[in-house]
Amino acid sequence: MKSSTMQGARILATGSSVPDSYINNHKISEMVDTSDEWIVTRTGIKERRLLTGTNQSIIDLAVLAAIRALNKASMNPLKIDLIILATSSPNDLFGSASQLQAKIGAYKAVAFDLTAACSGFVLGIVTASQFIQNGTYQNILVVGADVLSKWTDWSDRSTCILFGDGAGAAIVQACSIKDNGILGFQLNTDGTQYNKLSIAYKEEMYPHPTLQLFQGSFKYITMNGKEVYKFAVSKVPSSILECLKLLNISTNDIDWLLLHQANERILNAVADKLSIHSSKLISNLSQYGNTSAASIPLALDEALAENKIKKDDIIVISGFGAGLTWGTVIIKW
Ligand code: COA
């Protein structure tokens, strides 16, 4: 922590929420030319949750995750100063965080969206820690939520096997400097590679007849899987090592490695590169697939519920994905 830091920041409580409906690999193999065996071998994913039905949106998932975190902390929502909703699949392009603010009754909180795909939760936690450590705010709700099933081309076997829906929340609270739990971070963006993974805005073929204005809409996820795989396996370990070096922490001191849940092979390859034993990897990918900004807080919440994480454990958290963006935040629990 820098010497200008006014106070410490730590994660006080977490919560998560996933839809009830799910689709397993067998069902997907009835829709596209694939198989359970192919998907499990290449990704580790067995099933994913889908937000189906009408009148349900990403906000319903985000609200439930947030309320669960607030309940665990026994916190009145009016105590929240800031809400950061990390999502790339909002239900309003002007921002969805204000709906979350209203629905949980956090009327005193400023609320904004943060768009950074699968790195969104890491960026959200880092942003929250800055607002707290510089003394501006005391309580911040960070929610990672995505419903990428809405943006998936369900006839494209190279992407539809990967993604699922969910939300995870964390309350970041001020504490004394000696109890600081958000130790440091390392963040990156490479915009030259933006088209490797994208939900692009596409213009219509013909302009508005009077205005000569081209309008359009967002379509489906497109991805170069091989390139994204190579990117993750090479850049994530470097980010982690750089962050550990900044904090003078050795890989031997790591208790848990919590990576964005994209692909079991990516998780194992990163752990191998860092010589971290697979027993320290937190993974729930087989049940949920890649839930984008939700994947890290969802896995963290489950690991806490299973009492895996103990006081003072060092957790290395890395997000990576579209942008391309990637980064690490190191936490002492
Ligand atoms: N079922 C069966 N075959 C499939 C398939 C599927 N779902 N998807 C692709 N294939 C085929 C391809 O068409 C190709 O066939 P060909 O050799 O006849 O051309 C073959 O399998 C190999 O395809 P390839 O793309 O090389 O597979 P891969 O080993 O790279 O695995 C991914 C594909 C998507 C699983 C892998 O690249 C990956 O996980 N990348 C990272 C994606 C990711 O995590 N994105 C989100 C980051 S936040």
Side-chain angles (χ1 to χ4, degrees), residues 22-36 38-40 42-51 147-165 197-199 220-225 262-263 285-291:
Y22 68 94
I23 181 165
N24 61 24
N25 294 345
H26 295 291
K27 187 80 188 163
I28 291 189
S29 62
E30 290 167 12
M31 293 160 50
V32 291
D33 183 12
T34 189
S35 66
D36 176 53
W38 195 97
I39 301 171
V40 171
R42 303 282 176 124
T43 71
I45 300 167
K46 293 184 179 155
E47 59 188 41
R48 353 59 211 115
R49 301 299 181 97
L50 303 186
L51 190 71
V147 285
L148 289 187
S149 66
K150 310 271 181 199
W151 302 97
T152 298
D153 178 353
W154 288 97
S155 66
D156 174 8
R157 69 177 181 172
S158 69
T159 54
C160 77
I161 57 167
L162 297 175
F163 301 102
D165 304 336
L197 180 53
S198 171
I199 306 176
Y220 294 129
I221 296 168
T222 55
M223 180 182 75
N224 182 329
N263 179 320
L285 187 79
S286 65
Q287 295 160 269
Y288 303 115
N290 178 345
T291 56

Side-chain angles (χ1 to χ4, degrees), residues 50-312:
L50 303 186
L51 190 71
T52 54
T54 54
N55 294 323
Q56 279 236 304
S57 83
I58 187 166
I59 295 302
D60 298 291
L61 295 178
V63 165
L64 204 50
I67 288 174
R68 286 174 175 160
L70 284 162
N71 286 346
K72 275 186 213 152
S74 303
M75 184 181 281
N76 183 329
L78 291 173
K79 286 232 157 33
I80 303 280
D81 304 303
L82 171 67
I83 295 173
I84 300 173
L85 175 60
T87 184
S88 299
S89 46
N91 65 350
D92 187 329
L93 275 187
F94 284 146
S96 295
S98 57
Q99 297 171 56
L100 174 60
Q101 184 247 30
K103 288 211 164 154
I104 63 169
Y107 302 114
K108 292 189 179 163
V110 177
F112 62 81
D113 288 25
L114 186 158
T115 308
C118 306
S119 305
F121 185 75
V122 166
L123 281 159
I125 288 290
V126 170
T127 306
S129 71
Q130 300 304 289
F131 274 114
I132 287 180
Q133 288 168 349
N134 72 17
T136 306
Y137 292 133
Q138 302 301 305
N139 295 302
I140 300 181
L141 171 66
V142 182
V143 177
D146 267 307
V147 285
L148 289 187
S149 66
K150 310 271 181 199
W151 302 97
T152 298
D153 178 353
W154 288 97
S155 66
D156 174 8
R157 69 177 181 172
S158 69
T159 54
C160 77
I161 57 167
L162 297 175
F163 301 102
D165 304 336
I171 296 169
V172 186
Q173 187 171 62
C175 59
S176 66
I177 289 184
K178 78 171 172 41
D179 290 330
N180 179 54
I182 302 180
L183 304 182
F185 60 87
Q186 198 284 329
L187 305 172
N188 316 272
T189 299
D190 180 2
T192 64
Q193 307 291 312
Y194 83 96
N195 60 355
K196 297 289 178 338
L197 180 53
S198 171
I199 306 176
Y201 175 79
K202 293 234 168 70
E203 282 179 348
E204 305 289 350
M205 285 251 290
Y206 302 103
H208 184 282
T210 323
L211 301 173
Q212 294 306 304
L213 175 80
F214 286 88
Q215 292 184 306
S217 57
F218 292 93
K219 211 56 186 145
Y220 294 129
I221 296 168
T222 55
M223 180 182 75
N224 182 329
K226 267 205 184 326
E227 290 296 321
V228 173
Y229 186 94
K230 280 194 271 179
F231 143 74
V233 169
S234 76
K235 299 291 187 187
V236 174
S238 312
S239 166
I240 292 173
L241 288 174
E242 214 176 298
C243 198
L244 289 168
K245 196 169 163 205
L246 282 172
L247 297 168
N248 208 11
I249 296 176
S250 138
T251 45
N252 297 329
D253 299 330
I254 298 173
D255 295 294
W256 299 104
L257 183 59
L258 173 47
L259 305 177
H260 163 54
Q261 307 285 297
N263 179 320
E264 197 75 51
R265 281 159 61 216
I266 295 178
L267 269 54
N268 289 328
V270 172
D272 276 357
K273 276 199 170 179
L274 297 169
S275 304
I276 293 174
H277 194 266
S278 58
S279 60
K280 293 184 173 181
L281 259 179
I282 294 176
S283 171
N284 62 5
L285 187 79
S286 65
Q287 295 160 269
Y288 303 115
N290 178 345
T291 56
S292 195
S295 89
I296 290 172
L298 181 57
L300 178 62
D301 188 48
E302 287 195 352
L304 287 165
E306 290 163 15
N307 290 319
K308 279 185 175 167
I309 297 169
K310 305 277 183 279
K311 187 175 177 314
D312 292 335

